[in-house]
Amino acid sequence: MLPLPPEDAGLPTIHRLLVRFDDALTKLGVRPNAMELERPTFLVHEALSGQSREFHSHEHVLTITEGTGPIETLAGIFHDVVYVQVDQGFPRMVNDLLRPLLTPVDGTGYRLGLGVLEDPTTELVARVFGREPGDELTPYSGLNELASAFVAAKCLSPLLSPRHIAEIAAGIEATIPFREAAAFDRLVGRLRDLGIPALDANACEDAVRTAVRLANRDVENFAEADPARFLDNTWRLLPETNPALHMPNAYRNGEYRLALQRMEGFLASLEAERVFHSFRGEPSPEVHARRIAQARRNMTLAVRYLRAKLYTIALVEAFACATGGDAPIELFLGGLPDEHNTNPLRAELFLQRAPGAAEDLDPVLLRLLEEGRASPSSFDLGASPYTAFLYRAFGERALMERLESTRPWIRGRVPASHWLANQACPPVAALARAIARVTMTRREALEKLADEMSAAVGREHH
């Protein structure tokens, strides 16, 4: 066992990973030396340190492996080592290991090569996943998990038995998200088919129970009791799949809108029953039902939240396109607070509280918009002052109806100026005026646009 510092000494991330590795391997009967501990730890630590990693990071791995058994711990440590759509390919430190096994095809797809059959360890992992040479995989069909399991197996096979390697691979396979329940029955069958003497029928079922427990921990944020914390994790995923957001002072209105649109589409189509899983008593029916119910509540609220914000950013993007073309969001809404400027110029400083208040306001959604998510974001504000203003002014039903009206303009079927003319009303004109105070180069054009909206409203009332 590693010599640990006093309990009140906070361990750096790499030391925490060393302790997790050491503890798990020791419980499996292995006494690793210093180099045997350092090699996998350094590899995982570096892989999870990618610049684009906001959610699939050290923190996530250490959280889901807290207090778990040795197989679950090792599978959890390795399960996100490869994340091609976030890292834009294989991490540098595992590229040489994976190149003979997976060949790039068609953008983000990869084909499993004959190299997997040349090593009993990689062949075992491929069989656990039900894959064979020639199969094509994408990030959405298990590519990341299979590649991560290959890395885990190659790192750990000098220390562990084939049984343990198979169980770890099964744990990583189970983290392929949002599948039907039958996937775990098939996983049991593949483990049995390996013919490993120590993996009898009961051991195979136990291995899949462990795997399901890890899979549920991997997505446990979906069952957060506080919707603000669920939205926190949702927001950390946005930059991982939308690289433009890594430049918070440079991304454009349309790029932000597209990021929200993708997340809204994903959550709106996701069934809660595909988020959490159960397998032969793991977890109990009561726990499983509670998780699914909370996931459904969180996703429903998140979709409403995203849709409200989508209408707002569609307006801002349309303001930009109608006055000279899309531009960095910072030009229109102002800067984000940072250590150099804690009180930057922002458009909400010129936006008065919405006159009156609609009747159909959800206090939970309004609180999220006005007070913000649970913690700051790297690329935007935690609160949503512009959306809160419009939500108060219109109410939820009218705001969602207005969102539906954005589709022709977003799809390029009508010009921004034409769509904005149909949105003319005092709250939208007020938003344009507030933004005009910040957008120096477009101020005159935006004020003219706001005047036209106000005039159009006046004509409607006469």
Side-chain angles (χ1 to χ4, degrees):
M1 297 290 288
L2 289 172
L4 295 177
E7 289 186 8
D8 59 351
L11 288 177
T13 299
I14 196 165
H15 294 78
R16 294 171 69 193
L17 284 170
L18 280 166
V19 170
R20 294 283 165 90
F21 268 116
D22 183 55
D23 182 61
L25 291 170
T26 300
K27 288 177 178 175
L28 292 176
V30 177
R31 298 290 182 180
N33 61 42
M35 292 300 101
E36 289 171 334
L37 271 181
E38 284 188 0
R39 289 190 194 99
T41 301
F42 291 175
L43 183 150
V44 170
H45 184 264
E46 187 176 348
L48 298 178
S49 298
Q51 184 180 3
S52 302
R53 300 281 188 131
E54 289 217 16
F55 179 82
H56 297 94
S57 61
H58 304 101
E59 179 187 357
H60 174 62
V61 162
L62 289 166
T63 297
I64 70 167
T65 58
E66 179 72 36
T68 56
I71 295 296
E72 199 173 339
T73 295
L74 293 171
I77 286 174
F78 278 100
H79 84 289
D80 279 339
V81 163
V82 176
Y83 223 88
V84 295
Q85 68 269 43
V86 175
D87 299 323
Q88 304 300 303
F90 295 142
R92 176 190 59 81
M93 72 294 310
V94 300
N95 191 55
D96 289 345
L97 184 157
L98 293 174
R99 193 165 44 198
L101 309 177
L102 291 158
T103 305
V105 290
D106 300 330
T108 59
Y110 285 76
R111 181 179 293 113
L112 198 59
L114 290 171
V116 299
L117 303 180
E118 297 173 3
D119 179 352
T121 300
T122 53
E123 182 182 7
L124 181 151
V125 170
R127 290 181 64 189
V128 170
F129 277 71
R131 295 294 185 176
E132 57 186 27
D135 285 355
E136 293 190 8
L137 301 97
T138 72
Y140 309 103
S141 63
L143 168 64
N144 294 322
E145 292 79 8
L146 177 60
S148 296
F150 281 144
V151 174
K154 294 294 285 184
C155 286
L156 298 175
S157 59
L159 302 172
L160 298 176
S161 67
R163 171 188 177 170
H164 290 148
I165 297 298
E167 290 173 329
I168 291 165
I172 298 174
E173 197 275 351
T175 65
I176 300 173
F178 313 129
R179 293 181 296 170
E180 76 286 357
F184 301 103
D185 291 314
R186 294 194 292 269
L187 179 57
V188 168
R190 294 196 297 271
L191 287 175
R192 288 175 181 165
D193 291 345
L194 294 175
I196 297 174
L199 272 179
D200 60 18
N202 289 333
C204 288
E205 288 195 8
D206 287 342
V208 175
R209 288 189 189 92
T210 297
V212 167
R213 190 161 53 246
L214 175 64
N216 286 334
R217 289 175 71 97
D218 192 31
V219 293
E220 64 185 350
N221 64 287
F222 276 85
E224 282 281 1
D226 180 0
R229 293 189 62 81
F230 172 68
L231 283 171
D232 258 5
N233 288 311
T234 302
W235 240 245
R236 280 199 283 268
L237 288 168
L238 287 173
E240 291 195 346
T241 50
N242 297 276
L245 301 186
H246 292 300
M247 298 183 291
N249 298 318
Y251 67 80
R252 294 176 178 247
N253 298 296
E255 290 170 326
Y256 183 71
R257 187 258 306 159
L258 185 59
L260 299 190
Q261 198 173 335
R262 287 169 174 162
M263 183 59 73
E264 183 273 336
F266 165 67
L267 289 176
S269 63
L270 180 60
E271 299 173 0
E273 290 78 6
R274 285 180 174 258
V275 176
F276 290 103
H277 301 289
S278 65
F279 178 79
R280 303 180 192 179
E282 174 56 49
S284 70
E286 295 79 15
V287 169
H288 185 55
R290 185 167 63 247
R291 284 172 173 167
I292 288 178
Q294 187 61 44
R296 186 178 291 112
R297 285 191 290 270
N298 281 334
M299 290 190 295
T300 299
L301 180 61
V303 167
R304 293 164 55 216
Y305 174 87
L306 285 161
R307 287 175 178 171
K309 288 177 70 70
L310 272 169
Y311 176 67
T312 305
I313 193 59
L315 282 176
V316 178
E317 183 183 0
F319 291 155
C321 291
T323 59
D326 200 11
I329 197 169
E330 184 181 47
L331 178 70
F332 283 78
L333 300 184
L336 295 176
D338 58 30
E339 66 272 18
H340 305 296
N341 188 356
T342 58
N343 189 29
L345 176 69
R346 290 195 55 82
E348 67 259 29
L349 298 174
F350 308 101
L351 192 62
Q352 297 178 352
R353 188 179 179 89
E359 294 182 356
D360 61 332
L361 300 180
D362 176 357
V364 176
L365 180 53
L366 183 61
R367 176 175 60 82
L368 287 170
L369 294 172
E370 292 188 333
E371 299 178 15
R373 301 177 299 274
S375 58
S377 163
S378 66
F379 62 91
D380 73 350
L381 294 177
S384 305
Y386 314 104
T387 304
F389 171 81
L390 296 175
Y391 185 68
R392 278 190 175 277
F394 294 131
E396 186 158 350
R397 182 176 59 83
L399 191 64
M400 295 305 163
E401 289 173 354
R402 284 176 171 266
L403 174 65
E404 287 300 312
S405 76
T406 66
R407 301 189 189 282
W409 125 247
I410 286 174
R411 293 170 181 168
R413 295 174 184 168
V414 299
S417 56
H418 177 81
W419 177 70
L420 284 172
N422 292 327
Q423 301 305 303
C425 63
V428 174
L431 180 62
R433 291 188 199 283
I435 292 173
R437 300 288 297 274
V438 173
T439 312
M440 297 178 180
T441 53
R442 311 276 183 99
R443 180 173 296 177
E444 185 176 339
L446 276 168
E447 288 178 344
K448 180 182 178 182
L449 184 62
D451 289 341
E452 290 171 353
M453 286 184 171
S454 296
V457 172
R459 287 194 297 272
E460 289 178 5
H461 289 292
H462 287 84

